[in-house]
Amino acid sequence: MTISTGSPWRGSMQEPAGRADLDAQRAAESYMLPSVEPVQLIDPDGRHVHNDKYPLPDGDSLLGAYRELVVGRRVNDQANALVRQGRMAVYPSSHGQEACQVAAALCIEAADWLFPTYRDTVAVLARGVDPIQALTLLRGDWHSGYDPYEHNVSIQATPLATQLLHAVGVAHAAKLKGENTVVVAMCGDGATSEGDFHEALNFAAVFHVPVVFFVQNNQYAISVPLSHQSVAPSLAHKAIGYGMPGERVDGNDLAALLAVLGKAVDRARDGGGPALVEAHTYRMQSHTNADDATRYRSDDEVAQWVPKDPVMRMRTYLTELKLLDESTEKDIAAEAERVAAALREGLNAESEVDPEDLFRHVYSEKTSQLREQAAKLREELSREQL
Amino acid sequence: MTISTGSPWRGSMQEPAGRADLDAQRAAESYMLPSVEPVQLIDPDGRHVHNDKYPLPDGDSLLGAYRELVVGRRVNDQANALVRQGRMAVYPSSHGQEACQVAAALCIEAADWLFPTYRDTVAVLARGVDPIQALTLLRGDWHSGYDPYEHNVSIQATPLATQLLHAVGVAHAAKLKGENTVVVAMCGDGATSEGDFHEALNFAAVFHVPVVFFVQNNQYAISVPLSHQSVAPSLAHKAIGYGMPGERVDGNDLAALLAVLGKAVDRARDGGGPALVEAHTYRMQSHTNADDATRYRSDDEVAQWVPKDPVMRMRTYLTELKLLDESTEKDIAAEAERVAAALREGLNAESEVDPEDLFRHVYSEKTSQLREQAAKLREELSREQL
Amino acid sequence: MSTTLTFAKALNTALADEMEADPTVVVFGEDVGTLGGVFRITDGLTKRFGEERCFDTPLAESGIMGMAVGMAMNGLRPVVEMQFDAFAYPAFEQVVSHVAKMPNRTRGKVKLPLVIRIPYAGGIGGVEHHCDSSESYYAHTPGLTVVSPATVPDAYTMLREAIRHPDPVVFLEPKKLYWSKEDLELEALRSSANSFGRAVVAREGTDATLITYGPSVSTALNAAAAAAEEGRSLEVIDVRSIVPFDDATVMASVRKTGRAVVIAEAPGFASVASEIVARVQERCFHSLAAPVLRVTGFDIPYPAPKLEHFHLPSVDRILDAVDELQWEDA
Amino acid sequence: MSTTLTFAKALNTALADEMEADPTVVVFGEDVGTLGGVFRITDGLTKRFGEERCFDTPLAESGIMGMAVGMAMNGLRPVVEMQFDAFAYPAFEQVVSHVAKMPNRTRGKVKLPLVIRIPYAGGIGGVEHHCDSSESYYAHTPGLTVVSPATVPDAYTMLREAIRHPDPVVFLEPKKLYWSKEDLELEALRSSANSFGRAVVAREGTDATLITYGPSVSTALNAAAAAAEEGRSLEVIDVRSIVPFDDATVMASVRKTGRAVVIAEAPGFASVASEIVARVQERCFHSLAAPVLRVTGFDIPYPAPKLEHFHLPSVDRILDAVDELQWEDA
Ligand SMILES: Cc1ncc(C[n+]2csc(CCOP(=O)(O)OP(=O)(O)O)c2C)c(N)n1
Ligand SMILES: Cc1ncc(C[n+]2csc(CCOP(=O)(O)OP(=O)(O)O)c2C)c(N)n1
Ligand SMILES: [Mg+2]
Ligand SMILES: [Mg+2]
């Protein structure tokens, strides 16, 4: 391995500007501040909205993404059903946020990295991770069921915002190794309040590494609404405090998400450094099946988001443009059913757990303490079998 | 005690703006973003610089503040000398930053609170804390030598940025109790990188409590220059990410500091919420006496800051305006000498430590464990005396 | 008058009663307001006392803890909830460097009467980070008072006592007990708070002592019941107060029985269980007929739900340890 | 060829040698670049290896630790410095919830070969937060390997070994030893790394065993020397590797001597010292002529400079404990 040369710091922050730099600073500010309204390319009625900065992705990309969107919705519904049937312990559904999920997976290349959270199962699957392996965590068999290196998808992080720093580390290592990897690091609106969010964005900016921070602002952190989380003009306004651009995007608009994330990824790959993208979306269901959202929000509020559904508007748009016909739609539906059936089948099969696994991976080699403890458990179990 | 009513959250952050709100958002942005150049009211040559937003404080205030400035400089020099003489273990000097120190202490009322760091001894003394008590920490007698409630000055915090949250808590409690207290919370440029900085600013903004965060950007965190700490346009640009105003001020200009901090304090007292003030200054000496700044910065760089000295320019300004004459100058010098003499005398006197103190304040009442341990030590010491 | 309450409801009642009695008590944390907490321990408090007295914070544990320090400095009595054991770790610096040390640092000028409530330990099939037994981190930190109730009445009295305590208290709530129910006389309990530094004999016995706390007390009692059927009389000590530790009660029992097993869910290495073993052998060496043994979690990260039962101290594992105590008849 | 090196220089040489040997080793933290660290442990590394291999970070310990996790995931071997013991606490969540658990969580797919260097413990007259003995927090956390060298040769070999280790290592450097000097044969040491899980007998003896590590090893050796003058032969065990712990060496010694004192600077309650006492009595019960005693720091926050000597284990305090080991002749 060669570590590429060049200072690890961007080091662009300098002495206070002289008078001549006034324009430069105002220009930098307007570059880093987000647009007032979230970028939208296809409105809830399925109509294209022109945007100077972000052209609409081409029809094929949109159709391919739509396919994932429909599958994602089906995965969410199926997973919920499996929890109800007791095949899975818990499922934090991304119902309503599937456009964000699909865009996060599709905006990067195979060699790039995705850092998802517990809510981002649909994104994980869209990256190619085996569904049953992905659901190992929520089924309770093991903490993480897939090999992160197989599809460059990190574990689905539970401790909020911690994964953003891992993403920075992966990007930083790639940069030092001279690899052209981009990392998409996901978190929720609530997680932006954690200290690790701050440290991750600052490290990414100072080391000028290719990370796109992607905040799914679904308006809630369990029961806590956004207004108790932040009183900033928007979460994307945090970007300028680190010296990176921030952008807002309609999180139920798959086309806009692909465009905005795509641009941030391209910029990062070209050495432009990190960016913060805030998607405005809504958690349509409870936090998890263990939660009861009616305790803290009204049906009315939820109802307002129904017409903004990400699937519907894409279907309308693609159908009106004849990019989607009935047979393709059927084809996609069939694929979604196949995935759902595979989920059912996989999760209905009894899984085996091996008690020896408790000790196997704590260290590369068992310590003498763990050898003793494993032997003790083995002995107990063998007595039980007598 | 009555806890005042009213929601603890400001809750101003709402759904993305509609088109009509474009102007409102841009107005909010320009309100929260700092000026391009740090506010300066008296330039290094001692001339008044007009500023539309910040009128110059009146002559009496400036003269009073100047007195503290001179005393502060003397305290720094004397404390350094006492370290060289072995009367104190270590002293993180604020030489060059005395204007910030004095302004932090003078911008608030007696009933308000100050949250200083290890470097802010001059500010602590300017609040009225007994100098020998204040230096207890650096002398090594005890962790903190003064009663925080006597002058509403919290302990000089060592773990970086942690005290900012305590400041928020004090302000929040005051608000709930219906008291009109303002809190000034100090930290360095390096400390802004810590997660606690982020959490403190966000909590202050969300709970809309009267805290003025005062960052002394002295360009270094031990050996690490600002450019490795942040690549934001300025540290004050972080404010908007929390929904509070940020301002930059020349940290060697006592008049500007009093004006900017004064305004932020007034605004906070009037229910306007928190603010972030970044002072541009320079740590003229090593981090502490244990450090050797020549290892990481050039004499040239340091030399550039000499003409920007905070004491000199105030003296010039006040003298030219006839606010300061020779006799007053002498008077002030004599006062500074008195303080220095008191420091010398206090620190040259041998201090007594009581080993029983180890156990006295760990809990309000000694646990049975500590009673045993204290007895053991007592017994050991009594044997030694035989 | 006796009522039947769950452990969770007992905690909730304790909070309400203290908030009623003392207007300086404030409750905050993640989801504790409108929702009433993910375990409903703060249910109804916002409604009853207003959102100035019980409120949600932004999602930041160090922020919660640091703000609590400041509020306590300024005359309030904050009771904060860390949503789950492992989510208290972001607050570790605030807890260790300030909560535990501020009174000592200021020679007692600044007192921090605050309570850190932590739902902890396993046995509920929770996913990773939701089942840590983190008591040893706190118990090792001088300046913290660390307690854990194991019964419904103790849940009520100990929480009230914690809130009235002049020093910071880490109040560890065994999650798996939240839904357990007991009859209790609330009125009688209101004045009986006196548990800090006091262990209780949860079951008397003569042959060996089981020393435990929190979630493992019920397991130990079950083990003692099973042993009784086999003719062995086990005494069970519920430590309750980990710091300060009640040496007198524990040592009296071990001196009587001459044998002891210490039980805890946390990994055993450098843990509270290690401490108890060390203290017992230091103080009762010549009363001991056998080494003091431990039944603890293994020295592994908390296992996934389907494997946790292999990890947790069980009745069988406790009985095995008792059998190993070198009985003459064996 | 033998050279005289300080403990600090031995660590510095180990870093340089590993960076030379393995281009994936990167060193970062606060002030470790241009300055070479506040203790100069990384002196000259930036100059020699470039600022991509040894560099300063923004001032944020959780950031440092979290970034190290990601770098280790992506093929590097980060060696991070926490500037002082108590300033590692902001990184506690990253250490406990990720560093310690990531390999286990992924069934070993993700390895984290990283080293967390922590200058720790007291004896240097440091102000608050600069002298904590924090080893128990880490030792209690499964998944971490926790070691502390007590000699100059071990400083060199153990740090090299830590960097080569496939799992995360908490590498605790006793601050007060930084300026201690020893002659050593660097060439011979280069290939001798084999300390993890292996204690050493630092001094042989027959009457009682002193078990200790890190900063207290030299104190224990001084105590043994003093005891020898009074005709008592004390064996001193330098544990070196706290996790994994070398039961074999420790127990062999105690079985031989029949008496033991465990010595450590950290507060004793729920500490590594408690663990050692517990293990020894569990495993050597019938060899023990007296209870295993402890000489540790008191259960108090680390004292201010002028009081620290009352707190730290001293030769006298160790000899007192030895005297209490119920000698027949007493
Ligand atoms: C450090 C930490 N604190 C608390 C929690 C408990 N918790 C899990 S999810 C959640 C809310 C997260 O909200 P957000 O970041 O908006 O993500 P969302 O669930 O809406 O996708 C909380 C408080 C946690 N997982 N980690
Ligand atoms: C949490 C924490 N990490 C590290 C340190 C060690 N340390 C003490 S001062 C300092 C630099 C602080 O720089 P800055 O915030 O700019 O303040 P200044 O010293 O310049 O006043 C460091 C790294 C600390 N005190 N606390
Ligand atoms: Mg959310
Ligand atoms: Mg600084």
Side-chain angles (χ1 to χ4, degrees):
Chain A
M1 195 205 74
T2 348
I3 290 215
S4 72
T5 53
S7 164
W9 313 279
R10 182 147 164 253
S12 78
M13 181 166 171
Q14 298 300 345
E15 267 292 86
R19 232 165 246 297
D21 300 326
L22 197 149
D23 291 350
Q25 172 161 335
R26 290 299 174 215
E29 283 171 0
S30 83
Y31 177 66
M32 291 187 220
L33 289 173
S35 55
V36 172
E37 280 188 281
V39 175
Q40 192 181 69
L41 295 181
I42 298 181
D43 73 12
D45 297 328
R47 281 183 305 250
H48 174 46
V49 182
H50 175 80
N51 186 303
D52 279 342
K53 210 167 148 194
Y54 298 102
L56 193 68
D58 65 64
D60 275 358
S61 312
L62 290 181
L63 188 61
Y66 173 72
R67 186 178 288 270
E68 295 291 344
L69 192 65
V70 172
V71 173
R73 172 64 51 86
R74 189 69 190 88
V75 166
N76 275 330
D77 292 345
Q78 182 61 70
N80 278 333
L82 286 162
V83 173
R84 280 192 303 273
Q85 292 152 25
R87 309 308 307 183
M88 221 166 24
V90 71
Y91 183 72
S93 172
S94 63
H95 191 111
Q97 305 174 220
E98 290 93 346
C100 295
Q101 297 288 306
V102 169
L106 296 190
C107 70
I108 44 175
E109 310 288 326
D112 293 335
W113 272 87
L114 185 73
F115 278 75
T117 76
Y118 50 91
R119 194 175 302 288
D120 302 319
T121 307
V122 168
V124 170
L125 301 190
R127 275 288 280 178
V129 172
D130 175 80
I132 304 304
Q133 287 182 9
L135 292 173
T136 299
L137 164 70
L138 301 168
R139 188 186 202 179
D141 290 5
W142 197 257
H143 311 295
S144 181
Y146 54 90
D147 177 350
Y149 297 112
E150 207 177 316
H151 298 278
N152 285 2
V153 176
S154 188
I155 52 118
Q156 288 185 259
T158 305
L160 296 164
T162 55
Q163 75 280 5
L164 304 179
L165 282 161
H166 309 164
V168 172
V170 163
H172 197 163
K175 183 183 170 185
L176 291 178
K177 294 192 289 179
E179 293 164 5
N180 203 12
T181 312
V182 175
V183 180
V184 168
M186 305 175 79
C187 76
D189 47 312
T192 65
S193 296
E194 290 280 4
D196 274 8
F197 172 86
H198 176 68
E199 301 188 11
L201 268 75
N202 194 42
F203 273 57
V206 166
F207 293 116
H208 201 64
V209 295
V211 181
V212 176
F213 296 97
F214 181 39
V215 178
Q216 287 172 83
N217 173 359
N218 65 5
Q219 317 296 331
Y220 283 91
I222 307 185
S223 71
V224 180
L226 184 62
S227 59
H228 293 189
Q229 209 64 248
S230 173
V231 295
S234 81
L235 298 174
H237 277 81
K238 293 181 184 293
I240 192 170
Y242 306 101
M244 67 174 79
E247 189 59 286
R248 293 203 273 182
V249 54
D250 179 341
N252 288 12
D253 176 357
L254 184 48
L257 284 157
L258 289 171
V260 169
L261 287 172
K263 190 165 170 172
V265 166
D266 288 349
R267 184 177 163 279
R269 199 176 316 276
D270 293 347
L276 171 63
V277 175
E278 175 192 7
H280 286 260
T281 180
Y282 195 79
R283 200 193 73 210
M284 296 298 288
Q285 302 179 337
S286 288
H287 174 69
T288 67
N289 318 67
D291 178 40
D292 172 8
T294 63
R295 286 178 69 102
Y296 50 81
R297 66 186 191 186
S298 68
D299 291 350
D300 253 24
E301 184 187 304
V302 182
Q304 282 169 34
W305 282 85
V306 172
K308 300 183 190 164
D309 187 72
V311 185
M312 245 169 37
R313 73 173 83 175
M314 276 304 284
R315 180 182 302 135
T316 310
Y317 174 79
L318 291 171
T319 309
E320 301 222 328
L321 257 82
K322 311 257 186 285
L323 286 162
L324 182 67
D325 58 19
E326 219 169 299
S327 99
T328 315
E329 185 71 59
K330 260 197 191 142
D331 192 50
I332 294 175
E335 184 180 340
E337 281 316 315
R338 271 197 304 281
V339 175
L343 274 186
R344 283 194 302 274
E345 195 184 339
L347 289 184
N348 283 330
E350 283 312 319
S351 63
E352 286 276 319
V353 292
D354 176 1
E356 279 275 325
D357 273 356
L358 290 179
F359 307 99
R360 224 164 239 148
H361 309 291
V362 185
Y363 298 98
S364 294
E365 206 181 300
K366 278 196 200 84
T367 61
S368 59
Q369 282 71 46
L370 289 187
R371 280 197 303 273
E372 280 180 14
Q373 293 171 24
K376 195 173 160 63
L377 177 60
R378 230 179 356 251
E379 188 259 336
E380 272 181 19
L381 294 172
S382 67
R383 266 190 290 142
E384 266 175 35
Q385 277 165 359
L386 293 185
Chain B
M1 195 205 75
T2 349
I3 290 216
S4 72
T5 53
S7 163
W9 313 277
R10 181 143 165 256
S12 80
M13 182 165 171
Q14 297 301 346
E15 268 292 88
R19 231 166 247 294
D21 301 326
L22 198 147
D23 290 348
Q25 172 161 335
R26 289 301 173 213
E29 283 172 0
S30 81
Y31 177 67
M32 292 188 221
L33 290 173
S35 55
V36 171
E37 280 189 280
V39 175
Q40 191 181 68
L41 296 182
I42 298 181
D43 74 11
D45 297 329
R47 281 184 304 252
H48 173 46
V49 183
H50 175 79
N51 188 301
D52 280 343
K53 211 166 147 194
Y54 298 101
L56 194 68
D58 64 66
D60 275 357
S61 313
L62 291 181
L63 187 61
Y66 174 71
R67 186 178 287 269
E68 295 290 345
L69 191 64
V70 173
V71 172
R73 171 64 50 87
R74 190 69 190 87
V75 165
N76 275 330
D77 292 346
Q78 181 60 71
N80 278 334
L82 286 162
V83 173
R84 280 194 303 273
Q85 292 154 25
R87 309 306 308 182
M88 222 166 25
V90 70
Y91 182 72
S93 173
S94 62
H95 192 111
Q97 304 174 221
E98 290 94 347
C100 295
Q101 298 286 306
V102 170
L106 297 189
C107 70
I108 44 175
E109 311 288 325
D112 293 334
W113 273 86
L114 184 73
F115 277 76
T117 76
Y118 51 90
R119 194 175 301 289
D120 302 319
T121 306
V122 168
V124 169
L125 301 190
R127 275 289 277 179
V129 172
D130 175 79
I132 305 304
Q133 286 182 10
L135 292 173
T136 299
L137 163 72
L138 302 168
R139 187 186 203 179
D141 291 5
W142 197 258
H143 311 297
S144 181
Y146 54 90
D147 177 350
Y149 297 112
E150 206 176 316
H151 298 277
N152 285 1
V153 176
S154 187
I155 53 117
Q156 288 186 256
T158 305
L160 296 164
T162 54
Q163 74 279 6
L164 305 178
L165 282 161
H166 309 164
V168 172
V170 164
H172 197 164
K175 182 183 171 185
L176 292 178
K177 294 192 288 180
E179 293 164 4
N180 203 12
T181 313
V182 175
V183 180
V184 168
M186 304 175 79
C187 76
D189 47 310
T192 65
S193 296
E194 290 280 5
D196 274 8
F197 172 88
H198 176 70
E199 301 188 12
L201 269 75
N202 193 42
F203 273 57
V206 166
F207 293 116
H208 201 64
V209 294
V211 181
V212 176
F213 296 97
F214 181 39
V215 177
Q216 285 173 83
N217 173 358
N218 64 4
Q219 317 296 330
Y220 283 90
I222 307 185
S223 72
V224 180
L226 185 63
S227 59
H228 293 188
Q229 207 66 247
S230 173
V231 294
S234 82
L235 298 174
H237 277 81
K238 293 182 184 291
I240 193 170
Y242 305 102
M244 67 173 81
E247 189 58 284
R248 293 203 272 183
V249 55
D250 179 340
N252 289 13
D253 176 357
L254 184 48
L257 284 157
L258 288 170
V260 170
L261 287 172
K263 190 167 170 170
V265 167
D266 288 348
R267 184 176 163 278
R269 198 177 316 276
D270 293 347
L276 171 63
V277 175
E278 175 193 8
H280 287 260
T281 180
Y282 195 78
R283 199 193 73 211
M284 295 300 288
Q285 303 179 337
S286 287
H287 174 71
T288 67
N289 318 67
D291 179 40
D292 173 9
T294 64
R295 287 179 70 103
Y296 50 82
R297 68 186 189 186
S298 67
D299 292 349
D300 253 26
E301 184 187 304
V302 181
Q304 283 171 34
W305 282 85
V306 172
K308 300 183 189 163
D309 188 70
V311 185
M312 245 169 37
R313 72 172 83 174
M314 275 304 281
R315 181 182 300 136
T316 311
Y317 174 79
L318 292 170
T319 309
E320 303 223 325
L321 257 81
K322 311 259 188 279
L323 288 163
L324 182 65
D325 57 19
E326 222 170 293
S327 101
T328 316
E329 183 72 61
K330 262 196 189 143
D331 191 54
I332 294 174
E335 184 180 337
E337 280 316 314
R338 270 195 306 279
V339 174
L343 274 185
R344 282 195 303 274
E345 195 186 336
L347 288 183
N348 283 329
E350 283 312 319
S351 63
E352 285 277 317
V353 294
D354 176 1
E356 278 276 323
D357 273 358
L358 289 179
F359 307 100
R360 223 164 239 149
H361 309 290
V362 185
Y363 299 96
S364 294
E365 204 181 300
K366 279 197 200 84
T367 62
S368 59
Q369 282 71 47
L370 289 187
R371 280 197 302 274
E372 281 180 15
Q373 293 172 23
K376 194 174 163 63
L377 177 61
R378 232 179 355 252
E379 188 260 332
E380 271 181 20
L381 294 172
S382 68
R383 265 191 290 145
E384 266 175 36
Q385 279 166 357
L386 295 184
Chain C
M1 202 201 69
S2 134
T3 18
T4 308
L5 289 188
T6 61
F7 194 92
K9 185 66 190 165
L11 294 169
N12 177 262
T13 309
L15 286 170
D17 287 357
E18 270 315 305
M19 289 177 85
E20 185 69 48
D22 181 351
T24 65
V25 176
V26 288
V27 172
F28 53 94
E30 294 158 9
D31 302 290
V32 300
T34 313
L35 182 64
V38 294
F39 291 109
R40 305 289 184 269
I41 308 303
T42 57
D43 195 23
L45 299 180
T46 298
K47 203 160 173 205
R48 177 158 163 206
F49 297 100
E51 47 180 28
E52 310 77 43
R53 301 280 308 279
C54 176
F55 56 88
D56 294 328
T57 63
L59 214 169
E61 293 77 10
S62 189
I64 294 168
M65 198 65 69
M67 187 168 79
V69 167
M71 290 174 112
M73 284 179 73
N74 200 6
L76 300 186
R77 289 185 173 257
V79 180
V80 302
E81 175 173 306
M82 298 279 106
Q83 199 160 77
F84 284 89
D85 29 69
F87 305 143
Y89 301 149
F92 200 68
E93 181 188 33
Q94 286 287 354
V95 172
V96 173
S97 290
H98 291 302
V99 173
K101 297 188 173 76
M102 187 71 85
N104 182 69
R105 174 179 304 143
T106 59
R107 294 186 191 269
K109 298 286 194 250
V110 177
K111 296 274 184 208
L112 294 183
L114 61 85
V115 180
I116 307 169
R117 292 184 38 244
I118 309 181
Y120 88 121
I124 61 157
V127 293
E128 216 192 345
H129 311 291
H130 292 74
C131 300
D132 279 16
S133 283
S134 46
E135 67 271 24
S136 304
Y137 299 131
Y138 305 111
H140 180 59
T141 305
L144 299 177
T145 296
V146 185
V147 305
S148 183
T151 68
V152 178
D154 272 356
Y156 177 79
T157 51
M158 288 173 70
L159 184 50
R160 292 203 66 173
E161 199 174 350
I163 299 172
R164 291 175 178 216
H165 200 66
D167 302 319
V169 176
V170 177
F171 191 87
L172 297 161
E173 303 171 0
K175 277 189 247 33
K176 76 166 192 196
L177 298 183
Y178 277 145
W179 304 278
S180 69
K181 274 185 196 171
E182 263 178 88
D183 284 349
L184 65 173
E185 307 265 352
L186 263 190
E187 279 315 316
L189 287 174
R190 280 189 218 281
S191 52
S192 71
N194 190 16
S195 59
F196 285 23
R198 283 167 210 254
V200 286
V201 178
R203 177 187 173 114
E204 297 205 3
T206 51
D207 296 344
T209 305
L210 305 182
I211 309 166
T212 187
Y213 54 85
S216 302
V217 172
S218 57
T219 320
L221 287 169
N222 289 340
E229 287 180 17
E230 292 168 21
R232 206 162 259 168
S233 165
L234 302 184
E235 182 145 306
V236 178
I237 306 272
D238 174 0
V239 165
R240 300 201 300 185
S241 168
I242 298 173
V243 179
F245 187 79
D246 182 353
D247 283 309
T249 302
V250 170
M251 302 313 154
S253 174
V254 179
R255 284 197 193 101
K256 178 179 79 178
T257 62
R259 290 177 168 84
V261 176
V262 180
I263 303 147
E265 277 193 23
F269 201 90
S271 68
V272 170
S274 327
E275 177 63 30
I276 299 176
V277 173
R279 301 185 86 75
V280 168
Q281 74 83 39
E282 278 162 3
R283 284 147 204 261
C284 307
F285 187 72
H286 293 290
S287 310
L288 285 173
V292 184
L293 296 185
R294 285 182 280 182
V295 176
T296 66
F298 298 121
D299 292 314
I300 61 171
Y302 198 86
K306 290 199 185 154
L307 290 149
E308 71 176 346
H309 65 285
F310 296 116
H311 173 69
L312 293 173
S314 62
V315 167
D316 282 349
R317 208 170 276 163
I318 295 169
L319 293 176
D320 283 355
V322 170
D323 282 343
E324 281 172 44
L325 294 175
Q326 307 174 5
W327 304 89
E328 283 94 56
D329 52 68
Chain D
M1 204 201 64
S2 134
T3 19
T4 308
L5 288 188
T6 61
F7 195 91
K9 186 66 191 165
L11 294 169
N12 176 261
T13 308
L15 286 170
D17 287 356
E18 269 317 305
M19 288 177 85
E20 185 68 48
D22 180 351
T24 67
V25 176
V26 289
V27 172
F28 54 94
E30 294 158 9
D31 301 290
V32 300
T34 312
L35 182 64
V38 294
F39 292 108
R40 306 287 184 269
I41 308 303
T42 57
D43 195 23
L45 299 179
T46 299
K47 202 161 170 202
R48 176 159 164 205
F49 297 101
E51 48 179 27
E52 310 75 45
R53 301 281 307 279
C54 176
F55 55 89
D56 294 328
T57 62
L59 214 170
E61 294 77 10
S62 188
I64 293 168
M65 198 66 68
M67 186 168 79
V69 168
M71 289 174 111
M73 284 179 73
N74 200 7
L76 300 187
R77 288 182 175 258
V79 180
V80 301
E81 175 173 305
M82 299 280 106
Q83 200 161 74
F84 284 89
D85 28 70
F87 305 142
Y89 302 150
F92 200 68
E93 181 188 33
Q94 286 287 351
V95 172
V96 173
S97 290
H98 290 302
V99 173
K101 298 189 172 75
M102 187 71 85
N104 182 68
R105 175 180 302 144
T106 58
R107 294 186 192 269
K109 298 287 194 250
V110 176
K111 295 276 184 208
L112 293 184
L114 60 87
V115 180
I116 307 169
R117 292 185 38 245
I118 310 183
Y120 89 120
I124 60 157
V127 294
E128 216 192 344
H129 310 292
H130 292 73
C131 301
D132 280 15
S133 283
S134 46
E135 68 271 25
S136 304
Y137 299 131
Y138 305 111
H140 180 59
T141 305
L144 299 177
T145 296
V146 184
V147 304
S148 182
T151 68
V152 178
D154 272 356
Y156 178 80
T157 50
M158 288 173 69
L159 183 51
R160 292 203 65 172
E161 198 173 350
I163 300 172
R164 290 174 180 215
H165 200 67
D167 302 321
V169 177
V170 176
F171 192 86
L172 297 160
E173 303 172 1
K175 280 191 255 3
K176 75 166 192 195
L177 298 182
Y178 277 146
W179 303 278
S180 69
K181 274 186 194 169
E182 264 178 87
D183 285 350
L184 65 173
E185 308 264 354
L186 263 189
E187 279 315 317
L189 287 174
R190 282 191 217 281
S191 51
S192 70
N194 190 14
S195 60
F196 285 22
R198 283 170 210 251
V200 287
V201 178
R203 176 186 173 115
E204 297 207 2
T206 50
D207 296 343
T209 305
L210 306 181
I211 309 165
T212 188
Y213 54 86
S216 302
V217 171
S218 57
T219 320
L221 287 170
N222 290 340
E229 289 182 14
E230 293 169 19
R232 207 162 257 165
S233 165
L234 302 183
E235 181 144 305
V236 177
I237 306 273
D238 174 359
V239 166
R240 300 202 298 186
S241 168
I242 299 172
V243 179
F245 187 81
D246 182 353
D247 284 309
T249 302
V250 170
M251 304 312 155
S253 175
V254 179
R255 283 195 194 102
K256 179 178 78 176
T257 62
R259 288 175 169 86
V261 176
V262 180
I263 304 148
E265 278 193 23
F269 202 91
S271 68
V272 170
S274 327
E275 177 63 30
I276 299 177
V277 173
R279 301 184 86 75
V280 168
Q281 73 83 39
E282 278 162 5
R283 285 147 204 262
C284 306
F285 187 73
H286 293 289
S287 310
L288 285 173
V292 184
L293 297 184
R294 285 181 279 182
V295 176
T296 65
F298 298 121
D299 292 313
I300 60 171
Y302 197 85
K306 291 199 185 154
L307 290 150
E308 72 176 344
H309 64 286
F310 296 116
H311 174 69
L312 293 173
S314 62
V315 167
D316 282 350
R317 208 170 276 163
I318 294 169
L319 293 177
D320 284 354
V322 171
D323 283 344
E324 282 171 44
L325 293 176
Q326 306 173 5
W327 304 89
E328 282 94 55
D329 52 69

